[in-house]
Amino acid sequence: MKKILITGAAGFLGSHLSDRFIKEGYEVIGMDNLITGSMDNIEHLMPLEEFTFYHHDVSKFVHVPGDLHYILHFASPASPIDYLKMPIQTLKVGSLGTHNLLGLAKAKNARMLIASTSEVYGDPLVNPQPEEYWGNVNPVGPRGVYDEAKRFQEAMTMAYHTYHGLETRIVRIFNTYGPRMRFNDGRALPAFFWQAMTNEDITVFGDGSQTRAFCYVDDLVEGIFRLLFSDYSQPVNIGNPDEISILQAAQEVVDLVDGTTSKIVFKGLPKDDPKVRRPDITKAKEILNWSPTVDRAEGLRRTYDYFKTKINN
Ligand code: UDP
C-alpha cells in the first residue's frame, strides 16, 4: 500500500485531500499542530486503520517511520487574519517546515507536492495571472509573511529538484471555498455566510469592486490529484477563472441565505488587498486536462448546507 504524508491534514484543504487519498486506497499520515486546523475535520478518519494522525509542528524536525512515497505540504495559516495573528509561525512553516519536509522526501525518495498560492503574484499588474508572471509583492506589508514564505517555499522546492533531483510538484492555489472552512477564518465567503445567517451587517471591504475568482474545493482537490501524478515540475495554477467583484459575492450570499435581514455595509480596505485576481488555467487544461466543473451557484449551495450544520456548534 502506498503511503502519503499530508501536512495540515486537520485544515480545510488537508482534510479534503486526506479523504481523497483514503478513498483512492492510500495509507495516509495526517500531520497538524492544530493552530488553525480542527480535529472535527478528520474525526471521521480517526477510526480508520489506513489513517494515522500525528499532532506535530512541521517547523520542527519531522520523523516518519518506514516507507513514504508522497508528501503533500499543506500546513500553514492561510487567511489574512490568521497570518496577521501568527506572522512568525506562518513564516516558519513555509520556510523551515518546507525545508524539513524536503529533507524527509529526499531521505525517503518520496515525491513532494507543495501548496503554493496566487499570493505569489501579490497585487497583480496583469490579469488573469499566468504562471510566468513574477508578481508584485510587498515583502514588509501585512501579507508579506505569507507571500514571501510561499515564494521562498517555491524556490527551495525548485532547488531540491534541480540540485538533488527530487521529484517535486508546485500548485499555485487561488481562492477556494467549500465545506470545512471556518466561519471565523476571516475570509470573505465564510464571513458573509456567518453575517447573513445571524442577520448581522455584511462587511464588504473597500467599495467591493476588487475581484476574486472562487474555486469549489472538490475541483481543487481533483486538480491537485492530477498534478501529483503528472510529470510536470514547474508551478501550475489551479483555480476557477470565473471572476466576480466582492460586492457581487456578498450579494450572492445574501440572496442564497433564507430569510436573512442583513444589509451590505462598506468598511476600510485592508492594506495591500489585491485589486484583481483570476487564474490563467491554460497549463492546467493542457498538462492535466483539468478544468473546474462546479459552478458558483452549486458550490455556494453546498457550502451553505455545510454552514447550516455548523451554525449551532
Ligand atoms: N473581504 C470583505 N469582507 C470580509 C472579508 C474579506 O470584503 O469580511 C474582502 C477582502 O478585502 C478581499 C476579498 O474579500 O478583497 C477576499 O478576501 P479573502 O480574505 O477571502 O481572501 P484574499 O483573496 O484577500 O486572500
Side-chain angles (χ1 to χ4, degrees):
M1 198 185 246
K2 294 275 187 199
K3 207 151 109 184
I4 182 164
L5 168 66
I6 302 180
T7 76
F12 168 46
L13 298 182
S15 65
H16 283 285
L17 286 162
S18 298
D19 284 347
R20 175 67 187 262
F21 280 88
I22 290 281
K23 209 174 96 196
E24 299 282 345
Y26 286 73
E27 188 178 335
V28 174
I29 299 175
M31 208 171 264
D32 206 298
N33 67 350
L34 300 174
I35 59 170
T36 58
S38 164
M39 289 305 285
D40 290 351
N41 292 336
I42 47 170
E43 206 176 45
H44 59 289
L45 297 177
M46 295 301 279
L48 304 180
E49 215 168 282
E50 317 86 86
F51 185 77
T52 314
F53 180 71
Y54 289 5
H55 185 188
H56 182 68
D57 176 358
V58 298
S59 305
K60 314 251 166 61
F61 185 86
V62 181
H63 175 70
V64 172
D67 286 349
L68 188 62
H69 305 95
Y70 300 100
I71 298 176
L72 302 183
H73 183 24
F74 278 70
S76 179
S79 76
I81 64 161
D82 283 344
Y83 48 76
L84 283 174
K85 265 188 283 179
M86 295 172 269
I88 316 281
Q89 281 152 306
T90 302
L91 279 158
K92 283 171 75 176
V93 73
S95 56
L96 307 181
T98 300
H99 188 213
N100 288 336
L101 292 161
L102 285 164
L104 178 67
K106 184 167 152 268
K108 302 280 186 184
N109 201 17
R111 180 180 298 181
M112 172 142 152
L113 180 148
I114 57 157
S116 187
T117 167
S118 56
E119 284 282 319
V120 300
Y121 303 124
D123 187 0
L125 304 177
V126 299
N127 195 40
Q129 296 81 53
E131 289 85 348
E132 290 76 19
Y133 179 53
W134 291 351
N136 177 36
V137 170
N138 174 5
V140 293
R143 290 174 177 255
V145 296
Y146 184 68
D147 303 4
E148 296 296 6
K150 292 291 188 180
R151 289 168 69 98
F152 173 88
Q153 178 183 50
E154 286 197 11
M156 192 63 155
T157 300
M158 209 36 97
Y160 267 69
H161 175 67
T162 51
Y163 187 73
H164 288 307
L166 192 73
E167 288 238 42
T168 54
R169 305 287 180 267
I170 299 174
V171 58
R172 289 189 181 148
I173 299 170
F174 284 66
N175 292 66
T176 302
Y177 69 104
R180 302 187 191 154
M181 287 188 103
R182 279 166 27 229
F183 265 135
N184 64 349
D185 88 348
R187 293 259 185 60
L189 290 177
F192 296 160
F193 271 107
W194 172 258
Q195 291 160 342
M197 291 169 81
T198 58
N199 297 313
E200 287 171 24
D201 287 345
I202 309 281
T203 55
V204 166
F205 299 159
D207 62 4
S209 64
Q210 70 273 31
T211 65
R212 295 294 184 271
F214 295 97
C215 183
Y216 189 68
V217 62
D218 290 0
D219 282 331
L220 185 91
V221 166
E222 179 62 29
I224 290 167
F225 192 81
R226 291 186 190 202
L227 177 60
L228 180 66
F229 297 111
S230 76
D231 58 5
Y232 191 72
S233 52
Q234 293 294 312
V236 178
N237 290 337
I238 300 283
N240 188 325
D242 185 0
E243 180 184 8
I244 53 167
S245 72
I246 289 302
L247 183 57
Q248 187 185 337
Q251 194 57 55
E252 288 182 5
V253 172
V254 171
D255 292 344
L256 183 63
V257 171
D258 303 317
T260 183
T261 58
S262 295
K263 298 272 170 302
I264 292 175
V265 300
F266 296 92
K267 302 265 180 189
L269 191 65
K271 185 167 162 29
D272 297 342
D273 199 284
K275 285 178 276 303
V276 292
R277 185 186 286 153
R278 173 187 180 181
D280 179 332
I281 58 166
T282 310
K283 281 209 168 55
K285 281 185 179 157
E286 281 173 4
I287 297 165
L288 311 177
N289 193 24
W290 176 90
S291 50
T293 60
V294 181
D295 68 16
R296 209 171 44 253
E298 174 62 19
L300 287 178
R301 265 195 303 276
R302 292 190 206 169
T303 307
Y304 180 36
D305 286 343
Y306 168 77
F307 281 140
K308 280 195 262 192
T309 70
K310 284 280 155 182
I311 191 87
N312 297 318
N313 295 325

